[in-house]
Amino acid sequence: MHHVILGNGPAGVIAAETIRTLDPHAYVTLVGDEAEPPYSRMAIPYLLVGNINEHGTYLRKGPNHWAMHRITMIHARADKVDAAAKKVSLSNGQSLSYDKLLIATGSIPAKAPIIGIDSPGVHSCWTMADARKIIAGAKPGARVLQMGAGFIGCIIMEALAARGTKLTIVEMGDRMVPRMMTEKAGGMIKSWVEAKGVKVYTNTKVEAIMAGTPMRVKLSNGDVVETDLVISATGVRPAVKFLDGSGVKTNLGVIVDAQMRSSDANIYAAGDCAEAIDFNTGKFAVNAIQPNAADQARVAASNMAGKSVSSEGSLALNVLDTLGLVSTSFGQWWGADAKDGGATAELADPQSYKYISLQFKNDVLIGATSLGMTDHVGVLRGLVQSKTHLGAWKERLMQNPLAIMDAYLEKSQAQASNANLSGARMR
């Protein structure tokens, strides 16, 4: 049995190792399109700050790790998949035959249609090669303009601030982290960042980048900002273009079922390139976060190795530290319509940068957002994931969202007591 895995990020690595554990006699080939050993993109900001070196970003540190696990590593890009022939064509001219194939190619940066976007001094922050260029240009005191203030953008911003650069952030949304935070929470993050000395434009687009020393960046509000370096963090998209013509069904990503199986019975997908059933809504969605990638990789690999394992669905789990202000959002944080039983409880203290939002569907907590309140993180996640019926606690929480800890403890104790009673009856 030959398992081929396209993509050597966290999802690909976890899948390869899981297959090796479950099927000691299989052939496992791991294909990655960068020259470096498998590494974590989420570690790149720590590299920018100088907390680690490049070796510190590697997912597996041992020099003989892949040989010891009998995993063949190929550095190439997947150009085409022939599902009928069960073959993958690579950019180095190789053609790999497979029995089972995993698509774990992740995401690639979305390229904004901006005049001058390809100018020297304009970089994404996605690959190790990008990081090296940014380190060379983001010297202390350098003027840096960053396009995008989403989750990834805020992590990059943290690293750039730590390097001592003079930062300007341009976000086309009406708040910072618009795909993770409610309007009020995103506005509070903006206030926090500005208080730390970062210039932030929201509801603003970059219209043109004019090359030169310094570069001049024209904004949609008419301002022109002079800068030494431009970072593009305007989002990512699943890397699935190479599947065109393969017969594998894609939308934003590869459409997969609960076993992470695609429309082809021998092809699976996991991670940022997989479009799976959402835990809350039951609709197909791409939840491009590392915990989901890891879970999906284990499910896909287990099924590829002949086991029967299902995913409960991908769940939005976001924890972000923005210049010292911790924010979180879980599940369907944007809420549900009132006609579907949706209700919102919200409490904000802008002066102290504290905020909590609870989203209910009937008496179940389906989503939550918090800011500056780290004590509640585990409780919020636990209640969302467990789909606990809160009963009378729902109305109490509508009046006082901060009682969420008490609700969690009481419900947990009740569930433990019921489990003990059930066990006693069985004995």
Side-chain angles (χ1 to χ4, degrees):
M1 178 73 75
H2 186 197
H3 299 279
V4 173
I5 300 169
L6 303 180
N8 64 356
V13 166
I14 290 170
E17 293 173 343
T18 301
I19 290 171
R20 171 54 65 233
T21 299
L22 296 175
D23 190 350
H25 304 295
Y27 294 98
V28 181
T29 300
L30 187 59
V31 181
D33 65 356
E34 294 183 53
E36 293 79 16
Y39 66 89
S40 171
R41 299 198 194 284
M42 298 305 293
I44 286 178
Y46 299 100
L47 176 66
L48 295 181
V49 173
N51 290 342
I52 58 174
N53 57 21
E54 289 191 12
H55 185 267
T57 69
Y58 295 170
L59 290 168
R60 301 294 181 263
K61 305 296 193 293
N64 300 316
H65 179 83
W66 308 107
M68 287 174 57
H69 287 77
R70 292 178 291 113
I71 295 171
T72 300
M73 185 75 66
I74 296 177
H75 294 286
R77 182 185 66 253
D79 284 342
K80 181 182 178 182
V81 171
D82 185 338
K86 299 174 72 173
K87 288 185 178 181
V88 180
S89 298
L90 304 181
S91 59
N92 64 1
Q94 280 185 266
S95 179
L96 295 178
S97 296
Y98 64 84
D99 294 295
K100 301 292 182 183
L101 176 68
L102 175 65
I103 310 297
T105 45
S107 299
I108 56 175
K111 191 173 183 179
I114 296 170
I115 297 170
I117 192 68
D118 293 319
S119 300
V122 180
H123 307 294
S124 296
C125 186
W126 196 244
T127 66
M128 197 71 76
D130 293 332
R132 294 177 189 125
K133 294 173 183 176
I134 293 169
I135 289 170
K139 303 296 185 184
R143 294 166 294 182
V144 180
L145 183 143
Q146 179 177 298
M147 300 185 295
F151 182 85
I152 294 171
C154 284
I155 293 173
I156 298 168
M157 178 186 67
E158 178 100 9
L160 293 171
R163 290 185 66 83
T165 64
K166 296 178 180 178
L167 273 171
T168 298
I169 307 295
V170 181
E171 167 58 48
M172 63 186 296
D174 63 354
R175 59 194 182 276
M176 294 189 71
V177 214
R179 295 177 182 83
M180 170 184 159
M181 289 281 114
T182 64
E183 183 176 355
K184 187 169 290 184
M188 290 169 66
I189 293 174
K190 177 184 177 183
S191 297
W192 173 272
V193 168
E194 289 179 323
K196 298 291 185 179
V198 178
K199 174 66 176 177
V200 180
Y201 293 90
T202 51
N203 287 312
T204 307
K205 296 180 181 179
V206 170
E207 293 189 337
I209 301 169
M210 293 159 276
T213 307
M215 290 182 284
R216 300 173 71 243
V217 180
K218 181 182 177 183
L219 307 182
S220 59
N221 64 3
D223 287 0
V224 175
V225 180
E226 292 189 347
T227 187
D228 303 305
L229 187 67
V230 174
I231 306 297
S232 178
T234 54
V236 296
R237 57 184 175 83
V240 295
K241 183 68 175 173
F242 69 96
L243 291 172
D244 287 356
S246 67
V248 175
K249 186 178 180 181
T250 63
N251 183 32
L252 293 176
V254 180
I255 302 294
V256 293
D257 61 16
Q259 288 74 46
M260 308 312 296
R261 187 183 291 109
S262 76
S263 57
D264 185 291
N266 297 305
I267 299 178
Y268 297 73
D272 294 8
C273 64
E275 192 165 347
I277 295 294
D278 182 83
F279 179 82
N280 288 107
T281 66
K283 299 177 180 178
F284 286 99
V286 176
N287 276 323
I289 58 174
Q290 193 157 311
N292 274 331
D295 290 342
Q296 291 174 351
R298 293 187 186 97
V299 171
S302 297
N303 287 293
M304 291 168 71
K307 305 297 181 182
S308 181
V309 179
S310 296
S311 167
E312 294 184 355
S314 64
L315 178 66
L317 301 169
N318 298 295
V319 180
L320 179 65
D321 185 339
T322 307
L323 304 182
L325 181 63
V326 176
S327 57
T328 68
S329 64
F330 302 111
Q332 197 172 331
W333 58 266
W334 59 93
D337 290 339
K339 62 181 175 60
D340 295 324
T344 299
E346 186 178 54
L347 188 65
D349 182 358
Q351 301 303 317
S352 300
Y353 293 99
K354 294 187 182 298
Y355 172 88
I356 187 169
S357 165
L358 306 180
Q359 302 295 337
F360 299 96
K361 186 172 183 180
N362 300 318
D363 71 337
V364 174
L365 186 71
I366 60 170
T369 308
S370 72
L371 192 69
M373 303 174 69
T374 54
D375 290 347
H376 296 73
V377 172
V379 168
L380 296 175
R381 174 177 177 170
L383 285 173
V384 170
Q385 283 190 300
S386 64
K387 297 183 178 181
T388 299
H389 286 278
L390 293 164
W393 269 108
K394 186 268 183 88
E395 293 307 320
R396 296 184 213 173
L397 292 170
M398 290 292 294
Q399 300 301 316
N400 179 20
L402 294 180
I404 192 71
M405 182 73 77
D406 294 330
Y408 176 79
L409 291 174
E410 183 176 302
K411 286 295 177 180
S412 296
Q413 289 169 358
Q415 289 171 354
S417 177
N418 289 338
N420 289 336
L421 284 173
S422 177
R425 292 187 187 118
M426 290 177 67
R427 288 194 297 270

